[in-house]
Amino acid sequence: MAKEPKTIQEQIELLSQRGMLFHDINQAPHYLANISYYRLKGYWWEMQQDFEKHTFKPDTYFENIIDNYNFDRNFRILVFNAIERIEVSLRTKLIYHMSLDYGAHWFVNQSLFTDPFNHSIFLSKLNREMLSSSEEFMKKHYGNHKNEVPESWKALEIVTLGTLSKLYKNINTQLPAKSRITNELGINSAKDLASWLSAITLIRNIIAHHSRLWNRAIITKYKWPKSTRFPLLDYTPDDQRRKKIFPILCAMIYLNDRISPGHHLKKELQELFHDFPSIPKYKLGFPPDWQEQPLFKNFY
């Protein structure tokens, strides 16, 4: 049976009945008018004492929920900035190395790819996107060269990170160009990088929909390199640890160290935790000694 909608005041009363406390209950209507009850539910879910009756543990304050929400919002911005650099760099390296080795239209050459079926799906999707693109450079291309396939530096500029990561994965591993791309990003194995990119794409899509990263399980399984060209972590995160964001966040920061050595992600992360001191870092998978890990040690 569908639940009846509740007014904001009724929502506050329900939270109070279930044991939620308020430092200033007069501020609560403002938050609930701008952040839905259902969205906030993801931030208080583990603070419940009884998951059937939905009663809260002692000392659960509404304001702490808002702190978690605001932390997550800023955390998503930081992670998205890291992903943006990865996407732009991957696109650039694919275009540069593959074009120099195999020509401007390398992406249509099926012999360069391991899975013909996936390559054919990619080309069909790409063709639709190019023809319907609102980008001025794509319109100009078809205006001047109606029956010519756009060069890779035009074609790949309009595709998503997900499409780029699948394209990279499908490139024949024996090609020197693929090895150069992999090595420039500080990774020894193309399979490891492809696996990272798949997980990063999932996180990018979560952020694009303004969904919660806070205390979220990462459902995409990904590989962890046996070794990397530069220091990363002094342990191998097991499958359980990889369900939290810390390991894949470290992977993103590691890639950013190669792509943009002057980035401020580590400093911004430190400042974010300083601004939200009550945030339990273990909910994100951060170990107690995270600042002593090789990836961070030279910075802190």
Side-chain angles (χ1 to χ4, degrees):
M1 182 182 293
K3 295 181 180 179
E4 292 295 321
K6 296 184 183 296
T7 65
I8 288 174
Q9 192 55 46
E10 288 172 335
Q11 293 170 19
I12 294 170
E13 289 170 4
L14 181 60
L15 289 173
S16 295
Q17 290 167 13
R18 291 175 172 175
M20 179 80 76
L21 302 174
F22 298 82
H23 289 299
D24 186 353
I25 201 167
N26 294 321
Q27 294 295 318
H30 168 78
Y31 288 111
L32 287 167
N34 292 284
I35 311 168
S36 76
Y37 181 102
Y38 196 77
R39 177 175 285 267
L40 287 175
K41 188 175 182 178
Y43 297 89
W44 72 53
W45 183 256
E46 287 200 353
M47 298 181 184
Q48 294 177 111
Q49 186 169 258
D50 188 318
F51 289 93
E52 291 185 4
K53 296 180 180 178
H54 302 297
T55 54
F56 293 100
K57 295 175 183 177
D59 297 322
T60 298
Y61 280 88
F62 182 77
E63 287 79 5
N64 293 135
I65 308 303
I66 298 301
D67 272 352
N68 288 348
Y69 177 85
N70 284 330
F71 167 85
D72 189 47
R73 179 178 174 276
N74 285 280
F75 183 64
R76 291 198 308 270
I77 292 170
L78 184 153
V79 175
F80 192 79
N81 287 339
I83 294 173
E84 179 190 7
R85 291 192 190 97
I86 294 167
E87 178 178 342
V88 171
S89 177
L90 177 63
R91 178 181 286 111
T92 301
K93 292 180 187 302
L94 278 168
I95 293 168
Y96 181 75
H97 291 295
M98 294 296 290
S99 295
L100 286 181
D101 283 9
Y102 308 105
H105 297 100
W106 61 268
F107 59 95
V108 303
N109 184 352
Q110 194 175 88
S111 68
L112 301 176
F113 299 90
T114 59
D115 188 327
F117 180 71
N118 284 338
H119 180 245
S120 140
I121 291 174
F122 159 74
L123 287 180
S124 296
K125 182 180 178 183
L126 178 63
N127 190 52
R128 290 194 303 271
E129 290 179 355
M130 288 192 298
L131 290 171
S132 63
S133 175
S134 60
E135 291 285 357
E136 192 59 38
F137 65 83
M138 197 59 76
K139 289 181 176 180
K140 186 176 179 181
H141 174 89
Y142 283 116
N144 296 334
H145 314 282
K146 187 175 181 180
N147 298 315
E148 293 181 18
V149 177
E151 300 90 336
S152 64
W153 45 88
K154 296 176 186 173
L156 297 192
E157 194 62 39
I158 66 169
V159 304
T160 64
L161 174 60
T163 300
L164 287 172
S165 66
K166 290 175 183 176
L167 182 67
Y168 166 82
K169 181 179 180 180
N170 199 20
I171 293 172
N172 192 314
T173 306
Q174 305 305 316
L175 299 183
K178 186 171 187 178
S179 295
R180 290 198 295 273
I181 294 167
T182 307
N183 294 341
E184 283 183 11
L185 290 171
I187 307 298
N188 297 317
S189 164
K191 287 184 178 179
D192 290 338
L193 179 56
S195 184
W196 276 8
L197 291 171
S198 178
I200 291 169
T201 298
L202 168 72
I203 293 168
R204 185 246 178 244
N205 292 339
I206 289 170
I207 296 172
H209 290 92
H210 314 294
S211 297
R212 174 176 53 87
L213 276 184
W214 162 253
N215 198 25
R216 189 186 192 106
I218 307 302
I219 59 173
T220 296
K221 290 187 177 182
Y222 57 93
K223 297 177 181 295
W224 196 259
K226 291 181 180 179
S227 64
T228 52
R229 291 173 170 255
F230 302 91
L232 180 50
L233 299 179
D234 61 15
Y235 66 95
T236 298
D238 58 23
D239 288 344
Q240 196 61 33
R241 285 184 169 183
R242 280 180 242 176
K243 288 181 180 179
K244 296 292 187 180
I245 198 170
F246 178 73
I248 197 63
L249 173 64
C250 289
M252 287 187 264
I253 292 175
Y254 178 87
L255 294 175
N256 272 262
D257 282 348
R258 316 280 79 76
I259 294 163
S260 181
H263 71 78
H264 300 293
L265 293 170
K266 297 172 188 177
K267 180 181 179 183
E268 289 168 2
L269 187 62
Q270 181 188 44
E271 291 172 348
L272 184 58
F273 283 132
H274 179 269
D275 292 342
F276 293 89
S278 65
I279 294 297
K281 301 178 188 67
Y282 73 91
K283 295 282 188 181
L284 297 160
F286 279 69
D289 66 341
W290 70 277
Q291 295 184 61
E292 295 302 313
Q293 289 299 313
L295 180 68
F296 298 100
K297 197 168 184 179
N298 293 333
F299 172 78
Y300 290 103

